Amino acid sequence: MAKGTNDAKLLIQSLRKAYAATPTSLKIIDLYVVYAVATALIQVAYMAMVGSFPFNSFLSGVLSCVGTAVLAVCLRIQVNKDNKEFKDLPPERAFADFVLCNLVLHLVIMNFLG
Amino acid sequence: MAKPLVLHLLLLLICGSALLSSGSVIHPISDAHRSAATELFVPAADGSFGSLEETYEALRTFQILGVDRSSAKFEGTCKTVSEKLSSPTTTKDLYHALKITAILGCRTESIEFDGITSRLQTAVKDASSLLELYYSLGGLLTVKEQGKDVILSDADGTFQAIKALSQSDGRWRYDKDSTGSSAFAAGIALEALASVVSLAGSDIDQSKIAVVRKDITKLFDRIKRYDDGTLYFDEKNVDPDQYKGPLATSASITSGVTAFAAVSSEKLNIGGEKILGLAKFFLSIGIPGTAKDFFYQINSLASLENNRISIPLVLSLPATVLSLTAKDQLKVEVTTVFGSHAPSLAVSLLKVLTPDSKEVTSFEKKELEYDPENRIHFLDLSPLKIDVGKYSLIFKVSVNDPEGADLYATGDQIIVTAFLTGFIKVDKAEIAVSDSDAASESVQKLDLSKDSLISLSANHLQKLRLSLQLTTPLGHSFKPHQMVVKLRHESKVEHLFVPETSSRQYKLVLNFLGLVEKFYYLSGRYEIELAVGDAVMENSILRSIGSIELDLPEAPEKAAKPPAQPVDPLSRFGPKEEISHIFRAPEKRPPQELSLGFMGLTILPLLAFLIGLLRIGVNFKGFPTSAVPATFAILFHGGIGAVLLLYVLFWLKLDLFTTLKALGFLGVFLLFVGHRTLSYLASTSAKQKAA
């Protein structure tokens, strides 16, 4: 058992080290995703407590968080230099797409919010 | 519901039987006619009744009926009439004006009779139509009756002129050119011929008068008859505008024939029966509704009253409903048509017939006694031992003086319908409730003369029996027109039953077991009402005899509901039921503190994000430093901020269209600015990589 925990500790430490090596921009994006998901979870917990009466509001709130998280993940994929697929895509272009898609998403969300 | 129903049925039966009787009710002219005349003929302010003809008709009717004509109003009439006589007018107006003068007894000093006479004589010579001749000759006759000397030149020629218009069937044409003839014209012609004979004296050839007598006989062949001996004249095959109706035609012929009979030395071969038939026709009208009809009726009856053929005598009963209880006598009056007294007569009651035309065999021919004071023939009914009921009485009238028998027309057999009413005894009236096996009965005697009410109770397994006997004053069993028993529930639902008759008794048996469905399963108190009625029953019964508490089983699901009782019609306009609206209950919302708490909780991850960013070590090193790119960068961020602000506004108060419009502008701006900024950043990073 001690070995197990030891192994887990070692695993986590090595993951941490590896993660520290990632570039700052990617870390920012990861943090953003974590933030969005956390907000979504809080909203779901609230709904679980008080019931889903204005269901459209709940959906729009949760989907905005989830949508923006998804877009951020897409941005991370495209910006990541280690990703061979998107070698030729300039990161600014990816960022511009991210901004545009977010704006469209949030327009729809605001309309659905009610 | 039953009370008006029973009364209506009783009235209907009485009226129906009166209408269907073979002898129509005829009464001579009485005061009722006189008062009707004053109501019908109402003079205007100046004393006239409309046209000259209408005024003449009204005044003649008043004269015959003996209505007062000396009113001051008629002074004015005299003046108008005398003015008419002096001015040039038609022959018809002259005729009527002269007649009015004669009736009212106007002063004749101012009237120029010579001028009038010569005008009329010219009219007679130049006349081309029957009516012209009639009016001019009538006028001349009236002048002669005033006492003036009137000569008719060429009386023969005038007679011939009138006679020339006659037809072979007894009718007359109006003038030489018209092809249609009518019986009305015949009456006018006969009156005109009578005027000629009166004016001419003995100048007329008697053979010509004899020819006219034959014409009258032919005319009377066309007479029409009703079943009860009433006779009248009517037109056939005339123009619709010439058709005058049976009353006018009969009146015209009556006046003409009686006028001619007065001037004819030999008696006309008509016969008293026809005169009596015509008199009956005029009397059977009763009181006419229009002024013209009234005049025709009264004028014709006046001609018949004193005619030379035979004077009709009318038999009438002042009362046709005779009560055995009150020991009424059968009273009969025989008078002339105007109610004046007749000569000495013998009236006998030949037969008494029941409604189905069977003779009452116990009755033998009886002669009625005469009461000279009241001029009534009467007969005591009690010794005759005739029971209650409706009867047809057959009378015969004969004049005592054998010579007078020719002068008067009394008719052969006169049939009159009379009702003999009496007190009907109700015997052995019983009401009982018995079990279905008829083992035990609780009988209660009903005494219908007292006001007592009985009360019973029964359930659906029992039977109700009601029985009674009805007897006439003479002891025979009586069958009334109506006997109905009504059971009425508290909720006003009613049921009617008719008792059955057997030998002497009326019995009603209600088996409640079979009636449960008919009663709509309504238990409770039912009021029992008995109705016994007949035209000859003086003591008809319509009263409640008591009540019965009925216990019926529960109604099954599919049972018929009792019929809805009539609702007070005015309740429709009263206040209606108040409607309470039910609104959708609002959804349960969480308490406000909880919602605000969670809102705060949602901000937490944002703070954590910002702190995390600082921990990672974000910097603004990549922000462009030189002026133009920096401006663009600021504008880019500002643009994104503006879009987000627009979204917030959209959520708060804007609508989609405004938002989209603004977004369009902002989007274009943002694209432009973003492109500049990002391309600048891309170029700087490419330079760095290259370097």
Side-chain angles (χ1 to χ4, degrees):
Chain A
M1 286 302 125
K3 204 162 177 247
T5 43
N6 259 343
D7 280 338
K9 267 199 181 153
L10 279 170
L11 187 65
I12 291 168
Q13 273 181 352
S14 66
L15 275 173
R16 260 196 176 165
K17 274 207 195 97
Y19 189 67
T22 54
T24 323
S25 52
L26 292 179
K27 278 196 205 157
I28 296 170
I29 296 172
D30 289 336
L31 192 58
Y32 182 75
V33 170
V34 166
Y35 152 66
V37 172
T39 316
L41 284 174
I42 291 175
Q43 285 180 56
V44 170
Y46 179 68
M47 185 217 82
M49 279 177 69
V50 300
S52 68
F53 165 53
F55 195 57
N56 55 313
S57 315
F58 162 69
L59 275 182
S60 105
V62 167
L63 283 178
S64 101
C65 296
V66 169
T68 198
V70 166
L71 288 171
V73 167
C74 289
L75 178 65
R76 194 184 192 280
I77 291 171
Q78 288 172 352
V79 160
N80 198 355
K81 290 193 192 66
D82 298 330
N83 201 340
K84 298 289 182 287
E85 220 178 304
F86 291 99
K87 212 166 38 146
D88 297 321
L89 186 71
E92 284 77 20
R93 170 70 200 280
F95 180 69
D97 285 340
F98 171 74
V99 168
L100 186 68
C101 291
N102 257 316
L103 289 178
V104 170
L105 172 72
H106 282 91
L107 174 70
V108 173
I109 289 302
M110 288 314 234
N111 196 21
F112 198 51
L113 197 57
Chain B
M1 189 219 150
K3 200 164 189 160
L5 177 72
V6 171
L7 284 174
H8 276 155
L9 278 167
L10 282 174
L11 282 167
L12 203 67
L13 281 165
I14 294 171
C15 294
S17 54
L19 285 168
L20 294 170
S21 67
S22 52
S24 56
V25 181
I26 292 182
H27 292 286
I29 304 288
S30 60
D31 283 331
H33 265 87
R34 288 187 185 88
S35 49
T38 45
E39 275 170 33
L40 204 55
F41 294 105
V42 178
D46 62 350
S48 76
F49 293 83
S51 71
L52 215 56
E53 186 176 353
E54 286 163 4
T55 314
Y56 158 65
E57 285 172 3
L59 289 170
R60 173 88 180 118
T61 312
F62 283 170
Q63 183 189 39
I64 298 169
L65 288 175
V67 174
D68 186 24
R69 294 181 313 285
S70 57
S71 152
K73 277 196 210 159
F74 299 131
E75 285 283 323
T77 321
C78 274
K79 265 185 79 181
T80 346
V81 163
S82 60
E83 274 164 34
K84 267 271 182 215
L85 286 172
S86 3
S87 59
T89 46
T90 61
T91 335
K92 182 169 167 184
D93 280 345
L94 268 179
Y95 168 74
H96 288 307
L98 285 166
K99 283 264 179 200
I100 291 171
T101 318
I103 292 171
L104 284 178
C106 292
R107 288 170 46 195
T108 51
E109 293 89 19
S110 55
I111 303 176
E112 218 208 284
F113 279 111
D114 286 335
I116 294 169
T117 317
S118 56
R119 270 181 22 205
L120 288 170
Q121 280 169 336
T122 332
V124 170
K125 248 193 289 212
D126 301 337
S128 53
S129 75
L130 182 61
L131 285 170
E132 274 286 312
L133 282 165
Y134 170 74
Y135 288 126
S136 39
L137 288 165
L140 285 170
L141 191 62
T142 317
V143 172
K144 183 169 179 181
E145 281 164 6
Q146 293 274 304
K148 308 283 182 244
D149 211 11
V150 175
I151 309 166
L152 184 66
S153 56
D154 193 16
D156 247 355
T158 321
F159 196 98
Q160 211 48 42
I162 301 172
K163 184 73 183 68
L165 294 167
S166 73
Q167 304 277 83
S168 55
D169 56 1
R171 296 192 289 178
W172 248 263
R173 282 173 295 147
Y174 277 104
D175 52 50
K176 285 192 285 262
D177 303 322
S178 69
T179 46
S181 60
S182 79
F184 185 84
I188 292 181
L190 290 169
E191 219 177 313
L193 288 170
S195 315
V196 172
V197 176
S198 311
L199 286 167
S202 52
D203 285 352
I204 304 290
D205 193 358
Q206 285 300 312
S207 60
K208 292 208 178 76
I209 298 179
V211 173
V212 178
R213 278 204 288 271
K214 287 212 192 74
D215 282 333
I216 293 176
T217 319
K218 267 188 265 171
L219 186 64
F220 268 75
D221 283 340
R222 308 173 61 82
I223 207 165
K224 291 197 170 53
R225 137 195 314 273
Y226 282 125
D227 280 342
D228 59 354
T230 308
L231 302 169
Y232 67 101
F233 287 97
D234 201 0
E235 300 273 30
K236 242 203 283 194
N237 304 326
V238 286
D239 292 333
D241 48 343
Q242 294 276 9
Y243 180 71
K244 294 239 191 276
L247 176 57
T249 319
S250 312
S252 162
I253 294 176
T254 311
S255 308
V257 167
T258 47
F260 198 82
V263 299
S264 161
S265 48
E266 273 186 43
K267 213 163 161 185
L268 287 175
N269 187 17
I270 294 177
E273 187 218 331
K274 296 217 172 66
I275 299 294
L276 186 63
L278 281 171
K280 270 193 187 166
F281 172 72
F282 290 119
L283 284 175
S284 66
I285 296 169
I287 298 178
T290 66
K292 198 91 178 168
D293 287 348
F294 210 102
F295 168 72
Y296 281 138
Q297 184 199 40
I298 298 295
N299 200 28
S300 321
L301 287 171
S303 340
L304 289 173
E305 171 94 344
N306 297 312
N307 74 84
R308 273 189 61 185
I309 307 169
S310 68
I311 300 174
L313 294 174
V314 174
L315 182 143
S316 60
L317 265 65
T320 46
V321 178
L322 308 159
S323 164
L324 287 176
T325 328
K327 294 205 189 315
D328 280 345
Q329 287 177 330
L330 173 66
K331 293 198 181 123
V332 165
E333 266 185 331
V334 182
T335 59
T336 63
V337 293
F338 275 96
S340 327
H341 73 281
S344 168
L345 303 160
V347 179
S348 38
L349 179 59
L350 296 177
K351 283 188 258 188
V352 175
L353 299 178
T354 55
D356 45 357
S357 299
K358 288 216 196 70
E359 229 182 285
V360 174
T361 43
S362 59
F363 177 77
E364 284 175 7
K365 172 177 164 181
K366 276 219 159 29
E367 197 176 305
L368 278 73
E369 295 168 42
Y370 183 59
D371 177 10
E373 253 179 69
N374 301 322
R375 300 218 183 95
I376 280 185
H377 299 258
F378 66 92
L379 185 67
D380 270 326
L381 290 171
S382 356
L384 295 176
K385 295 263 178 271
I386 303 180
D387 211 350
V388 292
K390 177 184 154 195
Y391 297 104
S392 299
L393 306 171
I394 303 186
F395 292 95
K396 184 158 169 64
V397 178
S398 46
V399 184
N400 282 340
D401 183 11
E403 284 171 11
D406 271 341
L407 274 174
Y408 294 95
T410 54
D412 202 11
Q413 281 190 345
I414 301 158
I415 308 172
V416 180
T417 310
F419 288 88
L420 256 65
T421 64
F423 195 87
I424 303 292
K425 262 195 314 224
V426 181
D427 282 331
K428 299 212 186 86
E430 284 178 344
I431 191 161
V433 173
S434 63
D435 288 327
S436 54
D437 54 357
S440 59
E441 254 199 357
S442 62
V443 183
Q444 286 195 34
K445 282 215 183 313
L446 286 173
D447 191 354
L448 291 170
S449 51
K450 299 208 192 72
D451 261 340
S452 57
L453 298 173
I454 51 126
S455 82
L456 303 163
S457 67
N459 61 34
H460 67 286
L461 296 168
Q462 290 176 315
K463 290 196 266 205
L464 176 76
R465 176 178 69 85
L466 170 70
S467 59
L468 43 80
Q469 279 184 358
L470 298 167
T471 21
T472 66
L474 265 70
H476 303 130
S477 103
F478 182 69
K479 203 159 169 242
H481 286 141
Q482 274 224 312
M483 178 156 8
V484 176
V485 175
K486 178 167 83 165
L487 258 69
R488 183 172 56 219
H489 188 241
E490 300 158 315
S491 63
K492 303 230 185 330
V493 177
E494 296 175 341
H495 306 279
L496 300 172
F497 302 97
V498 178
E500 288 164 354
T501 171
S502 63
S503 63
R504 291 182 63 100
Q505 218 192 39
Y506 275 91
K507 191 156 93 165
L508 175 70
V509 174
L510 293 179
N511 189 355
F512 291 121
L513 193 61
L515 290 170
V516 166
E517 234 186 86
K518 184 171 187 272
F519 280 20
Y520 304 110
Y521 295 90
L522 290 170
S523 300
R525 194 159 152 270
Y526 280 83
E527 219 176 283
I528 308 173
E529 222 177 79
L530 176 68
V532 181
D534 193 280
V536 301
M537 191 170 162
E538 279 171 17
N539 56 325
S540 297
I541 300 166
L542 177 63
R543 58 171 284 229
S544 171
I545 50 179
S547 62
I548 177 168
E549 279 283 338
L550 263 189
D551 189 15
L552 299 175
E554 283 288 319
E557 292 259 323
K558 290 284 179 71
K561 289 272 170 289
Q565 295 307 306
V567 181
D568 177 21
L570 291 176
S571 67
R572 240 197 309 163
F573 302 111
K576 293 226 179 282
E577 244 181 62
E578 202 170 312
I579 305 171
S580 54
H581 298 278
I582 302 172
F583 294 100
R584 194 167 58 105
E587 291 274 344
K588 254 181 25 168
R589 302 308 297 266
Q592 225 177 355
E593 303 85 20
L594 186 68
S595 308
L596 289 170
F598 260 89
M599 199 167 81
L601 214 60
T602 322
I603 306 294
L604 272 180
L606 181 63
L607 293 171
F609 175 62
L610 291 170
I611 293 167
L613 280 179
L614 286 172
R615 284 225 11 224
I616 292 173
V618 294
N619 49 45
F620 285 102
K621 284 199 202 114
F623 200 83
T625 41
S626 48
V628 172
T631 336
F632 276 122
I634 292 167
L635 281 175
F636 176 62
H637 288 293
I640 292 177
V643 170
L644 291 177
L645 188 68
L646 177 70
Y647 287 169
V648 170
L649 278 176
F650 170 46
W651 183 51
L652 284 178
K653 58 176 181 169
L654 293 178
D655 60 63
L656 188 62
F657 301 106
T658 338
T659 319
L660 284 177
K661 246 198 301 194
L663 191 64
F665 293 125
L666 274 177
V668 167
F669 166 73
L670 200 62
L671 265 172
F672 173 67
V673 164
H675 177 71
R676 288 299 294 271
T677 313
L678 290 171
S679 52
Y680 172 77
L681 280 174
S683 64
T684 37
S685 63
K687 266 192 224 148
Q688 270 185 355
K689 251 197 221 138

